[in-house]
Amino acid sequence: MASKIWAHRGASGYAPENTLEAFRLAVEMKADGVELDVHMSRDGELVVIHDETVDRTSNGKGRVVDLSLEELKALDFSCGMEKYRGVKIPTLREVFELLKPTGFFINIEVKCDIVIYWGIWDKLIELERESGMQGRILYSSFNHYVLMEIRKLDPGAKIGLLYSCAIVDPWVYAKYLNANALHPHYLALRAPGMIEGCKKAGIELNTWTVNDPGAMKTLFEQNVNAVITNYPDKAVKIRDNMQLI
Ligand code: G3P
Ligand code: MG
């Protein structure tokens, strides 16, 4: 089966990252799924945003953990893109509602790198169950303890281990944690034996953030499970052309 293409923070090369507009565009561009980042607001809502603060991507200031959903929703997340002025931060529930009818796959990156959102795992699993989207969701995180909490709550939950350095034989670690996938930075895939090791161990490789056309081509040739990119249209074109040859 050909590699999947997941739009990183939505089609974030063209629309404000992690917004419904970026996810809609990913659907129009015929990606197979999206990657998005989740934090928790002061009042315990799951919100889709990359950073711990709203400073870079909105017209506001402050940490997500210190702001209520109402306060977050009052901000403009157009991220300097004039065409998208007034765009709001989405909740994870809103993204599920948008993508459920499309058949899209959702890679939820759980951000517990700086702020630890205690109990975020309970909320994620509860929402997944309510959404009826089981099987189309995979949780990834740089904080592997969080993924273990998710697994405890739902032994069937799909999990992927994020990392960016050159770990030796990472599939051994993935097997030990009973993970479904490794999510390396794509340059970490150059380590010897990576592709074969993961294939033999039955561990999926979903790699990020691949915006360079040459790297996309190599990864499609290596038949990784998913390529995560800000430019899903370019990736679709390259992959589909390769299949014609
Ligand atoms: O999930 C892949 C990638 O998004 C990890 O890094 O910083 O873009 O969330 P970051
Ligand atoms: Mg991410």
Side-chain angles (χ1 to χ4, degrees):
M1 216 192 328
S3 304
K4 315 279 192 316
I5 293 160
W6 296 348
H8 181 243
R9 311 181 195 173
S12 59
Y14 306 101
E17 64 180 59
N18 281 323
T19 62
L20 293 182
E21 284 66 13
F23 301 133
R24 252 185 227 116
L25 202 52
V27 175
E28 277 171 32
M29 290 178 169
K30 302 199 184 320
D32 304 291
V34 295
E35 185 268 358
L36 53 80
D37 308 287
V38 168
H39 292 255
M40 200 157 77
S41 67
R42 188 180 74 217
D43 45 351
E45 295 288 339
L46 298 172
V47 285
V48 180
I49 175 171
H50 179 270
D51 300 356
E52 281 69 27
T53 74
V54 299
D55 303 11
R56 181 180 59 87
T57 51
S58 84
N59 59 348
K61 279 215 170 304
R63 296 192 309 167
V64 175
V65 71
D66 296 326
L67 296 166
S68 68
L69 180 61
E70 199 185 341
E71 286 164 334
L72 288 164
K73 282 283 190 188
L75 301 175
D76 177 331
F77 276 85
S78 55
C79 211
M81 293 188 189
E82 199 51 39
K83 186 176 156 198
Y84 291 97
R85 188 179 286 192
V87 74
K88 303 286 177 214
I89 189 173
T91 62
L92 186 59
R93 185 186 293 277
E94 287 167 343
V95 178
F96 281 5
E97 281 162 10
L98 174 76
L99 295 180
K100 189 171 178 182
T102 66
F104 252 41
F105 194 85
I106 307 181
N107 171 194
I108 299 173
E109 182 184 344
V110 189
K111 287 289 189 192
C112 276
D113 307 327
I114 298 170
V115 177
I116 306 295
Y117 300 101
W118 204 257
I120 195 170
W121 35 88
D122 297 295
K123 287 179 188 280
L124 287 164
I125 293 299
E126 198 185 313
L127 185 62
E128 177 175 344
R129 285 192 179 131
E130 266 178 47
S131 74
M133 287 180 63
Q134 284 97 332
R136 283 169 54 194
I137 291 171
L138 178 145
Y139 302 95
S140 64
S141 187
F142 286 103
N143 184 334
H144 302 172
Y145 289 95
V146 167
L147 301 174
M148 294 299 99
E149 291 300 326
I150 288 174
R151 254 299 161 69
K152 259 190 243 160
L153 291 167
D154 179 3
K158 287 182 197 286
I159 56 168
L161 309 170
L162 269 164
Y163 69 98
S164 54
C165 49
I167 294 177
V168 175
D169 298 349
W171 57 89
V172 177
Y173 175 61
K175 282 299 244 189
Y176 170 66
L177 294 187
N178 199 19
N180 304 81
L182 284 165
H183 285 220
H185 184 273
Y186 77 98
L187 294 177
L189 270 179
R190 295 177 302 185
M194 267 295 292
I195 304 285
E196 301 71 28
C198 288
K199 282 207 170 127
K200 267 193 210 143
I203 301 292
E204 282 179 4
L205 275 172
N206 303 318
T207 187
W208 51 279
T209 301
V210 192
N211 294 330
D212 170 65
M216 286 176 187
K217 193 164 179 286
T218 304
L219 293 161
F220 291 141
E221 277 163 3
Q222 289 170 328
N223 197 227
V224 297
N225 182 64
V227 166
I228 303 174
T229 177
N230 296 353
Y231 302 96
D233 56 339
K234 291 185 190 170
V236 167
K237 204 167 161 194
I238 291 169
R239 181 192 62 187
D240 295 357
N241 278 344
M242 283 169 70
Q243 284 175 325
L244 293 175
I245 296 165

